[in-house]
Amino acid sequence: MSIALAPVAIHAQPSGVSFANVYKGWTTGSDGAPLDSTLYLNLDGSVLLIDDPLVGGSASAYTGQWTTAGNGVALTLTADLKGTLAQPIAIFLDASAGQPLVMQPGESALDGRSRRYYSINYLLENRASLPFNSDFASAAIANSGLAGAYKAFIPGGASGRLDLSLVLFPDFRALLKRDTLDGSPASLTYGAWQDINGQPLVLLTERDGVAFQTPAEIVFSAENGVLRGQNTGSSSVNDLVGVPFFRLEGLTNAVIVLTPPTDMTQSQEGGTLPGEAPLLAAPPTSVPLSTEILVEYEPLFEEVPCPDDLQIDEAVVCGFLHVPENRSRADSRSIRIFVMKLLAQGEEAPDPLVVIGAAPGDDPGALLAWFNEAPVRRTRSIVILHPRGEGRSEPSLACPESIVSGDVQLKLQSLADCYNRLLQEGVDLAGYTLDQRAFDVIDLAQALKLEQINLLGNDLGAAVARLVLERQPALVRTIVLESPLPLSVNRTLESPFGAYDALRRVFADCRRTPACDTAYPNLEERFLEVVARDNQSPGSVGLRGDVVARAVFTKLQQGGAEIPALIDALHREDMEAACRLAPMLEGCPPPVAVNETEGAIEAGQPITPSEHLLFLPAMQAGSPAAQSWRDFFTDPGASEGAEAELLNWIQERLGFQTREELFAFLDDLQVQNFLALLNALGVLISSSDAERHGAELNFLCAEDIPRFSLDDLERVRRRLPAEVATLLTASAEEALLICPLWLTPPAAVGDRIVPIRDVPALIMAGAHDPVTPARWAQRSASDFSQPFVRIFPGQGHNLLQEPKGCAQQMLAAFIERPTQAPILQCFLRLRPNFLLPESPG
């Protein structure tokens, strides 16, 4: 094997050039091999970018120009080692975080990886704790031994800094490269190495072509992917004693959150350059993008006893579907998809209703209550899948590490911890995609020997259902999309518009209802006035504007019947009326008597919040699926982590001696009173502060985030009312920070462009749904030749959650007679039913 080094000419800078700054970063090349990357930003505006594989292969280099642009650095690369490029490469590196310079998510320049570049001064100051993933480094050593490339930084040389590369070749040659990163050639020291009980012994014999009179010998300890120089008797390598050398794969795949930015440092001529405070390290290596089925397998259904909390009657059958984790890999392991089957109550038709439901991270078990008494069950069995990675499917992508906090850095670090744990456990995140979920449905039908099925997709499940139809059209007898997310929608980017459009629909419906318009005129103006007023200076009730807006959008998920009255009360600063409508608002007294235990709280009196806010961890506040306080916890009787902390807090604040006493008290509370009690105790309830789930992050980072940038999001903000723009786009902005940590392959855009199908289709949505707005139903309908579209007036999200409601009746009628338009009296009678003031007298 030849020693691969960057030619000296690559490092030669133009005569007289001084550096605005020098940056180091680590990424992977097109072959997946790690690269040591150096970025020179020169004061004359020129730029030099070098990618060196260190072990095998040749270094590449680009030259061009740089300039400050907005909150970052714009690079225009115009030439490489072969000459002028046919097309310049434009790259933007975001410097708003201070450190590092970050390539925008979704940018495909160079190798398609999202790169990060740290100031050499920062790396020198933090040379003992570089952004590093010891799991990846240790795995690389376990797979290929100690042979590989290692990096370190120490003071030294004319520039006061040395970039060290120690390369241990598989044929036991050794190379130590010392680079001062000042444009002068690197110093090269050659020798050999051997493995002594897992510790490399390096014997160096010459430097820059001059042999040592006596070879320099140094032993390195090896631990967690880091080599550390031990004692040596040679002065030529004495500066390596105690120095940590980090395995290159660990630097390339580092996922870590560091200190937030503190300042910006001004260059002499080159504009504003980032200071020394880091944010994120380099993302991990990507995984294969192919959706081709490469593994040979036979799907298997294994019937198992139903868990006690899912055994609602004897007609429920449970089991696991055994399928590959990633069908695109021939060596994929098998995973288990949890399946529930509600047997038909009457004579069973051969084509069951297969339900694919919920947004990622929602509890799929809630669907059992939706269909237990649904009219469609009279003649058909209901089959409900827990999506791969969620619910009771194995493995779980849940992130118990997820921290709900106002500190963005803590939140990001907690998600990085979850990501690293899942990788360490052997989870192949590339297998948890919409396409793989679609094949799960097809495999389930094969395992159960079903020739045809009726397919129902709710929310994200609608996108999966559409892919099932695309992959296996002959399998699908009918398709129903309820509160659908269309394949063509970028949910993260478009949701702010959808939410506000739904609220405007409420305002418009109120204007069209004479009694509502008389009681609550100018609703939109009053709403925005309240939010702006309370954001600027909280009124007499002490509410912040974002809290007001969040309460309104939470109400909207349930249809928004009380929204005009709530806005009116808040506009008049009538807190008593507002608390009757939204008891979860901050400052509302708990409408319960908590006075049976010594030291407990008097009935109806506000509880003074603690200085430290806790957060509701398991579900979004106001979720329609929440029927009791227990729905907000994974398992109250065996709680762990943040959930246990929250229960301890409630028990202590209410003065109960035992958990049993606490649970008995809470079981008697209505869910609204539980929410109000939490707020009074100082527990912040906010849908924007919900825990993140690995399945949700996989969807975000594969489907949505690669398709837009921060500039796109800013354009969305400008098109929304300023009073709510920040609130509505906060989740998308956070996702742009998360996805460089949670690296999953982007979904192929072409796979989301589907032909029109003529299968019988029913699309249902709530007119006031802020989660999957009604106009998305119209977009879903465009995929079918003759769909039946039903927009339910005055309704919100998840129309099917009422087992005997109008949407369930329409579902049953359509599946029974799919070629006839479902026209039901319950639907024709639907009108927005706004809460109006009581008549005097």
Side-chain angles (χ1 to χ4, degrees):
M1 179 183 292
S2 61
I3 297 176
L5 292 174
V8 172
I10 290 181
H11 288 278
Q13 296 297 295
S15 176
V17 165
S18 56
F19 300 101
N21 215 335
V22 183
Y23 295 83
K24 294 290 297 186
W26 301 277
T27 185
T28 54
S30 57
D31 59 355
L35 297 175
D36 179 36
S37 187
T38 310
L39 175 66
Y40 296 87
L41 302 182
N42 304 321
L43 288 180
D44 66 353
S46 62
V47 62
L48 173 65
L49 173 63
I50 302 169
D51 288 339
D52 193 340
L54 293 180
V55 181
S58 301
S60 63
Y62 295 90
T63 58
Q65 299 294 313
W66 74 276
T67 183
T68 55
N71 60 347
V73 178
L75 310 181
T76 304
L77 306 180
T78 55
D80 61 10
L81 293 175
K82 298 177 182 178
T84 303
L85 298 176
Q87 182 70 33
I89 300 174
I91 299 173
F92 178 74
L93 297 173
D94 186 3
S96 59
Q99 284 286 327
L101 299 179
V102 182
M103 184 180 292
Q104 287 293 298
E107 181 145 14
S108 59
L110 296 177
D111 50 30
R113 315 283 187 199
S114 180
R115 296 191 177 202
R116 281 163 175 71
Y117 287 96
Y118 294 87
S119 162
I120 185 63
N121 294 329
Y122 163 74
L123 294 175
L124 186 63
E125 292 175 8
N126 296 273
R127 56 187 177 273
S129 57
L130 299 182
F132 186 69
N133 189 318
S134 60
D135 292 333
F136 271 86
S138 299
I141 292 175
N143 291 333
S144 59
L146 292 169
Y150 299 82
K151 297 291 300 183
F153 298 90
I154 61 173
S159 67
R161 60 207 181 187
L162 283 176
D163 172 14
L164 303 180
S165 303
L166 175 65
V167 184
L168 306 180
F169 290 94
D171 60 3
F172 297 103
R173 289 175 298 112
L175 167 69
L176 177 66
K177 176 182 174 184
R178 300 169 182 260
D179 194 343
T180 56
L181 298 178
D182 60 359
S184 58
S187 174
L188 306 178
T189 305
Y190 299 94
W193 73 281
Q194 58 182 308
D195 186 343
I196 307 296
N197 297 323
Q199 310 293 329
L201 168 64
V202 179
L203 191 69
L204 301 173
T205 56
E206 66 174 76
R207 176 183 293 175
D208 299 330
V210 179
F212 294 147
Q213 291 184 351
T214 303
E217 180 179 292
I218 182 170
V219 176
F220 290 86
S221 64
E223 185 177 1
N224 296 326
V226 179
L227 303 184
R228 193 177 296 273
Q230 303 299 301
N231 292 331
T232 179
S234 174
S235 60
S236 59
V237 291
N238 192 55
D239 58 348
L240 304 185
V241 173
V243 173
F245 281 78
F246 295 84
R247 179 82 174 203
L248 191 58
E249 287 87 348
L251 295 169
T252 301
N253 293 289
V255 181
I256 187 170
V257 181
L258 303 171
T259 311
T262 54
D263 63 354
M264 299 288 282
T265 303
Q266 298 290 327
S267 74
Q268 298 176 23
E269 300 175 14
T272 302
L273 287 175
E276 304 306 322
L279 177 62
L280 305 174
T285 306
S286 184
V287 282
L289 301 181
S290 174
T291 58
E292 182 182 359
I293 298 179
L294 299 179
V295 60
E296 294 184 6
Y297 69 98
E298 185 74 21
L300 170 68
F301 181 76
E302 170 197 9
E303 188 171 325
V304 299
C306 286
D308 291 341
D309 58 333
L310 297 181
Q311 188 63 61
I312 56 177
D313 58 39
E314 295 180 355
V316 178
V317 176
C318 297
F320 285 102
L321 174 69
H322 294 253
V323 291
E325 185 173 39
N326 186 346
R327 297 172 176 87
S328 299
R329 299 184 61 163
D331 60 347
S332 178
R333 66 176 180 176
S334 180
I335 62 173
R336 306 203 305 173
I337 310 296
F338 188 75
V339 179
M340 301 175 290
K341 183 177 182 181
L342 287 72
L343 300 180
Q345 295 168 332
E347 184 177 351
E348 183 176 5
D351 47 344
L353 175 66
V354 176
V355 179
I356 314 170
D362 285 356
D363 178 16
L367 296 176
L368 198 63
W370 292 20
F371 293 97
N372 179 34
E373 300 180 2
V376 70
R377 194 183 171 192
R378 295 170 190 157
T379 57
R380 282 176 172 80
S381 294
I382 314 294
V383 181
I384 301 172
L385 283 78
H386 284 214
R388 52 174 53 213
E390 303 185 55
R392 285 178 166 83
S393 293
E394 301 171 358
S396 171
L397 265 60
C399 284
E401 301 91 341
S402 176
I403 295 175
V404 183
S405 170
D407 188 327
V408 175
Q409 303 305 315
L410 289 178
K411 294 173 72 172
L412 293 177
Q413 180 65 71
S414 70
L415 297 177
D417 291 342
C418 179
Y419 182 94
N420 286 333
R421 175 183 57 78
L422 291 174
L423 293 184
Q424 188 174 8
E425 292 173 354
V427 175
D428 183 354
L429 291 172
Y432 295 84
T433 63
L434 296 189
D435 298 89
Q436 297 283 352
R437 284 182 59 178
F439 281 114
D440 290 340
V441 177
I442 296 169
D443 284 348
L444 178 63
Q446 179 182 340
L448 297 179
K449 296 181 172 54
L450 300 173
E451 294 183 3
Q452 275 200 318
I453 61 175
N454 299 284
L455 198 55
L456 167 63
N458 161 262
D459 200 288
L460 179 66
V464 177
R466 186 62 185 86
L467 288 174
V468 173
L469 175 62
E470 190 56 35
R471 303 293 187 265
Q472 197 83 11
L475 176 65
V476 181
R477 173 181 176 266
T478 66
I479 186 169
V480 179
L481 307 180
E482 188 267 314
S483 299
L485 173 67
L487 277 177
S488 61
V489 163
N490 188 313
R491 181 176 206 149
T492 306
L493 185 62
E494 296 187 42
S495 283
F497 286 134
Y500 198 73
D501 283 351
L503 184 59
R504 278 186 166 146
R505 183 71 174 265
V506 171
F507 298 151
D509 286 345
C510 182
R511 282 197 305 271
R512 286 192 287 265
T513 306
C516 185
D517 189 42
T518 300
Y520 312 117
N522 305 318
L523 269 178
E524 183 171 14
E525 292 83 352
R526 290 187 175 194
F527 168 67
L528 296 176
E529 180 184 330
V530 168
V531 175
R533 178 194 69 195
D534 292 349
N535 270 334
Q536 184 174 8
S537 178
S540 60
V541 297
L543 286 177
R544 300 188 309 275
D546 59 337
V547 173
V548 169
R550 190 172 290 119
V552 169
F553 284 108
T554 298
K555 282 284 185 183
L556 191 57
Q557 291 191 37
Q558 303 163 353
E562 297 176 339
I563 283 179
L566 177 59
I567 292 174
D568 178 70
L570 292 168
H571 186 263
R572 294 183 288 104
E573 297 191 343
D574 183 349
M575 198 60 185
E576 181 179 354
C579 286
R580 284 197 302 269
L581 296 166
M584 68 286 295
L585 280 171
E586 292 178 7
C588 291
V592 294
V594 189
N595 55 10
E596 299 175 2
T597 306
E598 184 178 354
I601 300 157
E602 293 298 326
Q605 296 299 315
I607 305 170
T608 304
S610 164
E611 294 180 0
H612 304 286
L613 290 178
L614 296 175
F615 298 84
L616 190 63
M619 293 181 60
Q620 293 187 4
S623 170
Q627 303 299 318
S628 86
W629 71 274
R630 292 179 180 270
D631 292 334
F632 292 92
F633 296 86
T634 305
D635 184 358
S639 56
E640 299 177 353
E643 293 188 359
E645 180 185 354
L646 179 56
L647 287 172
N648 289 339
W649 176 261
I650 297 172
Q651 181 177 329
E652 177 184 348
R653 296 284 286 156
L654 295 183
F656 290 110
Q657 299 301 313
T658 66
R659 273 284 205 274
E660 290 72 18
E661 292 176 335
L662 172 65
F663 288 178
F665 168 73
L666 295 179
D667 283 337
D668 289 335
L669 290 182
Q670 295 181 351
V671 66
Q672 295 91 339
N673 291 346
F674 174 67
L675 296 175
L677 179 62
L678 286 179
N679 268 284
L681 288 170
V683 181
L684 180 63
I685 304 174
S686 165
S687 60
S688 66
D689 291 313
E691 270 189 335
R692 295 284 190 174
H693 190 283
E696 173 200 9
L697 299 178
N698 244 40
F699 171 78
L700 280 176
C701 301
E703 298 283 344
D704 287 358
I705 298 306
R707 316 298 180 212
F708 72 91
S709 68
L710 194 60
D711 288 339
D712 297 316
L713 189 59
E714 184 58 36
R715 283 189 284 272
V716 170
R717 283 198 190 100
R718 291 198 295 266
R719 295 163 65 186
L720 289 165
E723 294 85 351
V724 295
T726 299
L727 172 69
L728 293 178
T729 58
S731 180
E733 185 170 6
E734 182 179 86
L736 285 172
L737 295 176
I738 291 172
C739 286
L741 299 174
W742 198 281
L743 193 66
T744 55
V749 176
D751 289 345
R752 302 299 177 256
I753 301 173
V754 293
I756 294 176
R757 295 289 180 182
D758 58 3
V759 64
L762 170 65
I763 295 103
M764 299 187 290
H768 294 169
D769 185 355
V771 181
T772 51
R775 61 175 175 160
W776 288 4
Q778 301 290 351
R779 288 170 68 172
S780 295
S782 66
D783 285 348
F784 304 94
S785 58
Q786 292 182 318
F788 300 119
V789 180
R790 298 292 181 264
I791 307 300
F792 285 63
Q795 303 300 300
H797 192 54
N798 290 341
L799 300 172
L800 293 171
Q801 65 182 319
E802 296 183 23
K804 298 182 181 180
C806 189
Q808 285 281 11
Q809 296 178 47
M810 187 168 291
L811 168 67
F814 169 72
I815 290 180
E816 192 66 29
R817 297 176 295 275
T819 60
Q820 298 181 23
I823 302 175
L824 281 70
Q825 287 298 317
C826 65
F827 178 76
L828 297 177
R829 289 195 299 266
L830 281 177
R831 299 287 187 278
N833 186 24
F834 295 111
L835 178 67
L836 300 173
E838 295 182 2
S839 301

